[in-house]
Amino acid sequence: MPPSSRHSVTSRCLTRQLVQPIFSPQLKNTLRSVLFPTTTNPLSPTGTNRVNTALDVRVTPNLVVESPKGRQTLTISAVEHTLRLSELLRRKHLPLNTRCGQRSLCDGCVVELLTGQVVHAATGEIVAAPHTIRGCEYRLAYDGDVTLRIPPRSLLAYEPQVVSDFKTKVPHAHDPLWQQIPIPPGGLAAIHRRRPVKLSPAICGSALPGATGNAPTYATLEYHGDHWLVTGLASQPDPQPLGIAIDIGTTTVALLVTDLRDGRVLSGAANFNKQMHLGDDVLTRINLCATDPAMLRHLQDLIVKDTLAPLITEAVAKAGATPDRIRCLTIAANTTMLHLFAGVDPSPIGVAPFTPAFLHHRILRSTDLPFPPPLSELCFTIHLLPGAAAYVGADLTAGAFATGLVYDEGPALLVDVGTNGEIVLKRGDKLYGCATAAGPAFEGAGLTNGVRAADGAISHIEITANPLTVKLDKIGHSTPIGLCGTAYVDFLAVGRESGLLNHRGRIEKNAVADPDHRIIPWKDYGLAFRVAYGPGKTDIVIAETDIANLLQAKAAIAAGILILLERIGLTPAQIKTLYLAGGFGLHLNRAHAIRCGLLPGFTAEQIEVVGNTSLAGAYLALLDCGALDEIARAGIAAVANLGRDLIVPLIYGPKGDLMAREAARAGLKVVRKFFADRALEANGMLVSRKKPGSVISDPEECADRTLRMVREHKVRTVDGKDIDCFGQTVMVHGDTPTAVRVAQTIRNRLEAAGVKIAPMSELI
Ligand code: FES
């Protein structure tokens, strides 16, 4: 079995194609009646039925398991024999990553059947090795030994967990995107048998294991979707490889530093996104790029140089390490933020049909980005998480995964309270998403004394009326510095109930007895409520203008929820779980969120506060490469709901692209684009337009490349190598001076060579 299929994840439809019953149905029935002569059903999907005495005396074969824990030979009792592999392996202390609850919705339990046979627990279909199967669907067959391999991504390493920023609801494996593994006796070829690897150009020609007496003993592997790139060989393990999970919000940015060896969270940091000074919302920033080409680079500098670089340096220092220990980053963000981070023009997102330049899992090198020293002197990998659409970005798909929403039968909602209020509804196997322009108020931005949830921030307010009394909770022990989002939610709820706020959101000076003179005139804008005194006895207030901003944000999110529910024909009462996410972490008062109208019609019992789920998704993806596939699948599922007739054009030519696989699984039609006028890197990605030679302007050269691609399925990369490429549609950039001549020449040469050019609908 070739390595690519050995490691491919198995979908239900793929399983149907691959599984070849080795017995006829009649013979199978006869065998079944011989093997299971009583009325009990040992093929029950639950695997809980008791077996009869006849089965107890049946020969029980050995089960050999190869896993990251080594090779083990397990003796299986007759009772254990009836269990599904996921349950059997759990009892043998080799738990699989059953994140969908063994409901055939994920690939967390995928194992490789190397020898022997297994039986589908529901259908009785017998499958012989070699095959890739889901552990929750099969049990052992009754004859012969069986050998299974549990890949690292399928071995459960961590149960759902809570860290200070978020609550994850799915278990995960420890199979990080960057890892160092001992080189087995068979060298790199032995690694390749377990997972598909390629050598990076830097490794080619260096001393490979076995080539010299002083052979390296560790290989560094970096995840590249359909393969792992070997980027280093060493004789000693890396003493402290760091991975950083990042959430880039429109208003706030948060990150966690983890030890890639064991997934421990070492430190974190957060701050406002410095792009805020150029506009509160994504549309303003998109418009800046559309009207002034220089703004793209400026906005990229603001996020990379001015926001992320200091935060990374701060968090790495807090972890007691130095930046040269950084090996890998994952970034979840809305689609516009990812474009700005990567330096890709987001202008098309701002106008119909709202087409982003990319949505797929994208891998960058730190050297491609404008990091300042010392980060500019380092080279690490950056994974941008896959999104679903222009306004349903990777932050939301990451959240849908981290909360387990993608596996929830629902009806369930994920509401991410951020500058873009993003909402996903799950019902049955369908996901529906939308976004609303809430503004940054709940993130503490744009308000008179709004701050992030940091030391000194007031996090909760309780108010009683007549006479007015105020009780505060504050983060840390320092003097109050301002109010964070949770306190503003409290204020909207208790301010209205106490009579301090009227139905228009104005402060009612005469409705409450105010012995402390907390209600004060505020600049030229009406009144303000003094919550506390800050440093130097300055007033910390909530002004009427702040209340107007908060009400606008609240109304945008509430309207988004109600409209989405109405479109699907549901009411709030029908929602089983509402996952409430947001940068304000796990401390939001649920009752206050309902009472202020942010979550209209829901009850506290329906609401689960889950914190920053975008960061949670980035963290899970960093430590479990399988999570990336699931996040991409969530995005594709949301797109697939728009219609099965959609044709998804995917940008990069070589085979095995994650999005192509997931789109095909979702039943969408996929075509591969071939860029005739763009140079390709060795990994099939387009050469950055910042590099010389990235755009090919000679029409004949473009035509030569296209003809070769059509005839030989090959294309030459910038470093002179031939790679596989099979585009079905040819793209030419319209913004180059020779664009028209390039297109004409390609067409003429293709037709002269007898290549038929047809509409896409005829092709697929
Ligand atoms: S646990 Fe088997 S498919 Fe999810």
Side-chain angles (χ1 to χ4, degrees):
M1 187 178 188
S4 58
S5 53
R6 215 172 31 234
H7 292 279
S8 67
V9 281
T10 309
S11 70
R12 272 171 290 179
C13 99
L14 188 59
T15 309
R16 270 202 300 278
Q17 284 174 6
L18 291 178
V19 172
Q20 299 295 329
I22 60 173
F23 300 116
S24 69
Q26 294 90 333
L27 181 54
K28 228 166 35 180
N29 286 338
T30 311
L31 278 172
R32 205 176 286 161
S33 64
V34 171
L35 289 172
F36 313 121
T38 68
T39 53
T40 53
N41 176 15
L43 299 180
S44 159
T46 64
T48 53
N49 286 358
R50 290 177 57 80
V51 292
N52 59 36
T53 318
L55 284 176
D56 284 339
V57 296
R58 207 164 288 280
V59 177
T60 54
N62 287 324
L63 172 62
V64 179
V65 180
E66 294 176 13
S67 78
K69 292 183 176 177
R71 185 181 168 93
Q72 299 173 51
T73 302
L74 309 172
T75 304
I76 308 300
S77 72
V79 171
E80 287 171 331
H81 215 123
T82 63
L83 302 175
R84 287 183 283 180
L85 293 174
S86 50
E87 177 59 20
L88 172 62
L89 291 168
R90 187 186 67 75
R91 292 192 186 192
K92 298 294 183 187
H93 309 290
L94 290 166
L96 298 182
N97 186 13
T98 52
R99 55 183 161 228
C100 75
Q102 307 190 68
R103 290 186 292 130
S104 300
L105 298 174
C106 73
D107 286 325
C109 64
V110 162
V111 294
E112 295 159 37
L113 177 64
L114 301 182
T115 66
Q117 297 176 352
V118 290
V119 180
H120 195 281
T123 65
E125 201 160 32
I126 296 176
V127 176
H131 263 293
T132 302
I133 54 170
R134 284 186 173 130
C136 70
E137 293 178 346
Y138 290 85
R139 65 166 184 79
L140 296 175
Y142 270 90
D143 41 0
D145 292 349
V146 169
T147 308
L148 292 177
R149 178 181 294 144
I150 306 176
R153 65 194 293 176
S154 297
L155 189 66
L156 178 69
Y158 306 96
E159 294 291 350
Q161 57 187 312
V162 181
V163 305
S164 59
D165 294 275
F166 54 74
K167 190 192 281 183
T168 60
K169 302 280 289 178
V170 292
H172 64 97
H174 186 72
D175 196 13
L177 302 180
W178 184 101
Q179 54 188 274
Q180 211 175 25
I181 60 169
I183 299 173
L188 294 181
I191 298 176
H192 187 68
R193 279 197 289 277
R194 291 180 199 162
R195 51 173 89 205
V197 294
K198 293 182 183 173
L199 295 183
S200 79
I203 292 295
C204 294
S206 66
L208 294 176
T212 70
N214 198 12
T217 48
Y218 291 91
T220 300
L221 306 184
E222 294 190 20
Y223 183 71
H224 277 253
D226 61 348
H227 68 277
W228 291 79
L229 198 63
V230 182
T231 56
L233 298 169
S235 52
Q236 294 294 325
D238 193 322
Q240 193 185 27
L242 299 181
I244 304 182
I246 300 175
D247 164 46
I248 301 179
T250 311
T251 301
T252 53
V253 176
L255 58 84
L256 291 178
V257 175
T258 65
D259 188 325
L260 287 169
R261 293 170 301 177
D262 53 18
R264 267 178 312 134
V265 174
L266 303 176
S267 63
N271 207 339
F272 285 124
N273 183 338
K274 294 285 196 304
Q275 293 175 343
M276 269 174 54
H277 305 304
L278 292 177
D280 276 355
D281 54 75
V282 292
L283 277 178
T284 308
R285 295 178 211 174
I286 291 170
N287 285 339
L288 286 172
C289 295
T291 50
D292 179 357
M295 287 309 289
L296 174 59
R297 179 56 197 254
H298 185 44
L299 284 160
Q300 188 188 30
D301 281 349
L302 286 171
I303 186 62
V304 177
K305 270 188 192 165
D306 298 355
T307 308
L308 278 176
L311 274 181
I312 290 171
T313 310
E314 174 194 333
V316 168
K318 270 197 228 168
T322 47
D324 61 320
R325 303 256 63 95
I326 300 171
R327 299 288 176 263
C328 182
L329 266 54
T330 49
I331 300 186
N334 65 52
T335 308
T336 304
M337 289 304 110
L338 286 183
H339 278 60
L340 294 176
F341 172 82
V344 176
D345 183 7
S347 305
I349 302 173
V351 289
F354 313 110
T355 310
F358 67 93
L359 284 169
H360 57 281
H361 165 219
R362 191 167 180 172
I363 302 172
L364 307 174
R365 303 297 295 178
S366 58
T367 45
D368 295 333
L369 294 155
F371 280 113
L375 299 178
S376 60
E377 289 141 25
L378 308 172
C379 185
F380 47 86
T381 314
I382 301 167
H383 294 261
L384 308 187
L385 268 57
Y391 294 98
V392 182
D395 50 351
L396 206 55
T397 50
F401 173 72
T403 55
L405 185 82
V406 287
Y407 310 125
D408 197 326
E409 294 221 331
L413 267 179
L414 168 62
V415 178
D416 193 348
V417 181
T419 307
N420 306 309
E422 291 164 328
I423 302 152
V424 182
L425 171 70
K426 178 85 193 295
R427 184 167 69 162
D429 63 349
K430 287 198 160 39
L431 283 166
Y432 306 85
C434 74
T436 62
F442 283 123
E443 296 179 76
L447 304 179
T448 309
N449 288 114
V451 293
R452 287 185 312 101
D455 197 34
I458 295 167
S459 56
H460 289 290
I461 304 177
E462 280 295 337
I463 295 174
T464 56
N466 294 319
L468 257 185
T469 63
V470 178
K471 207 168 133 214
L472 303 177
D473 278 345
K474 182 166 57 69
I475 300 172
H477 300 290
S478 52
T479 309
I481 55 166
L483 300 115
C484 62
T486 47
Y488 286 112
V489 171
D490 290 343
F491 182 76
L492 289 184
V494 296
R496 184 82 182 99
E497 286 160 2
S498 65
L500 178 65
L501 297 180
N502 68 21
H503 69 284
R504 291 184 297 121
R506 308 301 293 247
I507 293 174
E508 282 287 346
K509 190 172 174 50
N510 301 323
V512 291
D514 181 16
D516 293 337
H517 306 291
R518 286 180 177 270
I519 300 172
I520 54 178
W522 192 250
K523 302 186 178 171
D524 296 331
Y525 315 120
L527 300 174
F529 179 74
R530 182 171 21 80
V531 180
Y533 288 113
K537 215 129 191 304
T538 51
D539 290 321
I540 293 179
V541 301
I542 299 175
E544 286 181 329
T545 47
D546 299 333
I547 297 164
N549 280 336
L550 289 161
L551 292 181
Q552 192 178 319
K554 180 205 79 166
I557 291 165
I561 294 171
L562 294 178
I563 291 170
L564 187 60
L565 288 178
E566 191 184 300
R567 285 286 291 269
I568 310 303
L570 292 171
T571 63
Q574 291 172 288
I575 298 298
K576 283 195 194 137
T577 310
L578 186 157
Y579 298 104
L580 184 60
F584 42 59
L586 300 168
H587 311 294
L588 188 76
N589 183 315
R590 290 175 298 168
H592 287 174
I594 295 166
R595 273 149 51 193
C596 79
L598 178 64
L599 304 172
F602 293 92
T603 62
E605 290 68 40
Q606 289 172 285
I607 298 167
E608 188 167 348
V609 180
V610 283
N612 186 345
T613 53
S614 173
L615 184 61
Y619 168 76
L620 291 175
L622 179 67
L623 297 177
D624 178 357
C625 63
L628 268 174
D629 291 14
E630 303 284 326
I631 291 169
R633 188 180 299 169
I636 288 289
V639 173
N641 283 335
L642 298 175
R644 300 277 163 181
D645 294 333
L646 283 177
I647 296 171
V648 182
L650 290 168
I651 295 174
Y652 301 110
K655 304 169 194 174
D657 179 88
L658 176 66
M659 291 291 272
R661 201 167 67 219
E662 295 303 331
R665 278 180 173 200
L668 298 174
K669 296 166 186 162
V670 173
V671 292
R672 294 297 195 144
K673 289 190 211 175
F674 173 68
F675 279 107
D677 57 355
R678 288 294 299 276
L680 296 180
E681 298 281 7
N683 62 5
M685 306 285 275
L686 299 182
V687 173
S688 164
R689 285 189 86 158
K690 292 175 196 156
K691 294 185 183 171
S694 61
V695 179
I696 303 164
S697 54
D698 176 12
E700 292 298 335
E701 189 181 347
C702 293
D704 286 346
R705 287 166 65 82
T706 309
L707 258 181
R708 185 166 183 234
M709 183 276 296
V710 171
R711 285 172 167 160
E712 302 173 30
H713 292 174
K714 294 279 180 204
V715 66
R716 182 140 306 170
T717 63
V718 274
D719 44 7
K721 293 203 176 70
D722 285 343
I723 60 170
D724 292 340
C725 190
F726 56 106
Q728 294 158 291
T729 178
V730 178
M731 308 286 291
V732 174
H733 286 73
D735 60 348
T736 59
T738 57
V740 175
R741 279 201 296 128
V742 167
Q744 279 171 341
T745 308
I746 291 172
R747 184 172 189 113
N748 293 343
R749 294 272 305 277
L750 287 174
E751 286 177 341
V755 177
K756 185 182 171 199
I757 299 171
M760 203 123 60
S761 55
E762 284 182 23
L763 278 178
I764 53 178

